[in-house]
Amino acid sequence: MNIIQVQDYEEMSEQGAEFLFREIMSGRSKVIGLATGGTPVGLYKHLVEKINANEVSLTDVHTVNLDEYIGLSDDHPNSYHQYMFQNLFQYIDIPSANRHLPSGTAADFSEECRRYERLIQQLGGVDTQLLGIGANGHIAFNEPGSPFDGRTRVVDLAPATIEANSRYFNEGETVPSQAVTMGIGTIMESGRIVMIASGKEKAAAVKEMLTGEVTEDCPATVLQKHDDVTLIADAEALSEIDVKNIQ
Ligand code: PGA
C-alpha cells in the first residue's frame, strides 16, 4: 500500500482532492466511486475549487456512491443523496443522470441491489474508489464480519456506527439502523482505491488495516490484497504505527 503521510485534516483533504483531480484530468478515471461521512467533506471542498478554477467539464464522468441509509428519501437532509448534492454535485457539472447512489426507499431492495451491481458492470467498473474507514475497521457499511466476496446488499449497522452517525441527526430523530452498501467484493474490483483517514479515533483501525492479519473481523484489512491502494492519512491517524517499517 502506498502511504502518503500528511500533517492534519486540511492537508489530507487537499492531497485527497489532488489525487482525484489528477485521475479525472488524466482521463484515466471516468467512473469515480465516492464516499460520504465527516472525513471527505474537506476533500470535496478542495475538489470543487480545483475543478472550477481550471474550468474542467465533467459531463462524461460518472460517480457511483458506496451506500445509502434505508428509510431516508433522496431529499431527506441526512440522506447521502443530499450529502452529495450539498458537498459536491451542486457545484459541478456532472449530469444528474451520471450521479449514482443506491436508493434508500426502493420498493424491492433485492432488486435495487441487483440493479446497482448491474449498473457498475454496465459502466465498466469503478476506475477510482474513494474510501473512508470506520473506527471499527468498516469500509462503506461493511461492518466487522462482512464477507470479503460480498456484493451490494442490505446490511444492519453496527451499534458503534449508529452511535457515530447519530451526531448528524436531530435529538429525538431515529438514526437509521440499516443501509444498502456496496459489498467488499464490489469494492475490491475497483481499479484503484484511495483511502483518507484523519484523527486519533481512526488510529487503531488504520494500524490494524496496515499491519493486522487479513480477516473479515476487520474489513479494511482486505485492502492488503488490492494492488493499487493509496492511503492518505494524517499524523493522528498514523500515530499507532511506524510507517517506515511498513513501506
Ligand atoms: P467518517 O466515517 O468519515 O464520518 O469518520 C468514515 C467511515 O465510517 O467510513
Side-chain angles (χ1 to χ4, degrees):
M1 193 176 298
N2 177 31
I3 304 175
I4 300 176
Q5 294 185 73
V6 295
Q7 275 309 306
D8 54 18
Y9 179 82
E10 177 58 20
E11 202 187 344
M12 178 207 72
S13 301
E14 154 63 29
Q15 292 278 319
E18 183 61 24
F19 189 101
L20 287 188
F21 184 67
R22 261 191 262 125
E23 280 299 315
I24 294 167
M25 289 301 282
S26 70
R28 250 195 320 266
S29 291
K30 295 277 187 218
V31 182
I32 312 286
L34 296 177
T36 53
T39 311
V41 170
L43 180 154
Y44 290 137
K45 185 167 149 288
H46 283 285
L47 186 59
V48 167
E49 284 167 10
K50 287 173 194 292
I51 287 167
N52 290 335
N54 291 278
E55 295 179 18
V56 179
S57 174
L58 302 178
T59 52
D60 61 347
V61 167
H62 282 258
T63 62
V64 185
N65 266 79
L66 289 168
D67 41 28
E68 179 59 284
Y69 287 119
I70 288 193
L72 301 194
S73 60
D74 297 1
D75 58 359
H76 188 287
N78 287 116
S79 72
Y80 289 152
H81 282 75
Q82 274 303 304
Y83 172 103
M84 291 310 305
F85 183 77
Q86 296 300 337
N87 286 289
L88 183 66
F89 295 151
Q90 66 171 319
Y91 302 115
I92 59 177
D93 70 349
I94 297 178
S96 55
N98 292 11
R99 312 168 191 164
H100 310 284
L101 292 97
S103 168
T105 55
D108 177 345
F109 278 103
S110 303
E111 176 47 32
E112 175 60 8
C113 295
R114 283 195 296 274
R115 178 194 73 82
Y116 209 64
E117 284 286 328
R118 263 197 320 270
L119 168 79
I120 294 168
Q121 297 303 322
Q122 282 161 3
L123 292 173
V126 173
D127 296 314
T128 297
Q129 176 67 57
L130 174 66
L131 288 182
I133 182 169
N136 65 0
H138 75 202
I139 48 175
F141 275 135
N142 294 287
E143 303 286 14
S146 297
F148 280 169
D149 60 356
R151 314 305 306 187
T152 301
R153 68 202 193 289
V154 171
V155 291
D156 294 330
L157 305 185
T161 301
I162 296 172
E163 172 60 27
N165 293 353
S166 65
R167 67 190 192 275
Y168 298 112
F169 289 78
N170 294 326
E171 219 176 310
E173 207 177 353
T174 308
V175 184
S177 57
Q178 288 190 307
V180 178
T181 185
M182 272 192 212
I184 293 176
T186 322
I187 292 169
M188 287 294 281
E189 286 171 7
S190 311
R192 171 168 290 192
I193 291 174
V194 55
M195 174 182 277
I196 52 174
S198 170
K200 58 182 179 328
E201 61 281 6
K202 301 295 173 68
V206 168
K207 178 186 181 187
E208 193 64 20
M209 170 177 74
L210 294 172
T211 64
E213 181 199 343
V214 178
T215 163
E216 291 172 354
D217 294 340
C218 180
T221 59
V222 76
L223 299 178
Q224 293 179 27
K225 290 175 169 287
H226 194 288
D227 64 7
D228 193 347
V229 181
T230 297
L231 169 67
I232 304 173
D234 68 10
E236 286 190 355
L238 291 170
S239 58
E240 291 193 16
I241 53 166
D242 184 352
V243 174
K244 284 194 301 297
N245 289 340
I246 294 171
Q247 285 173 311

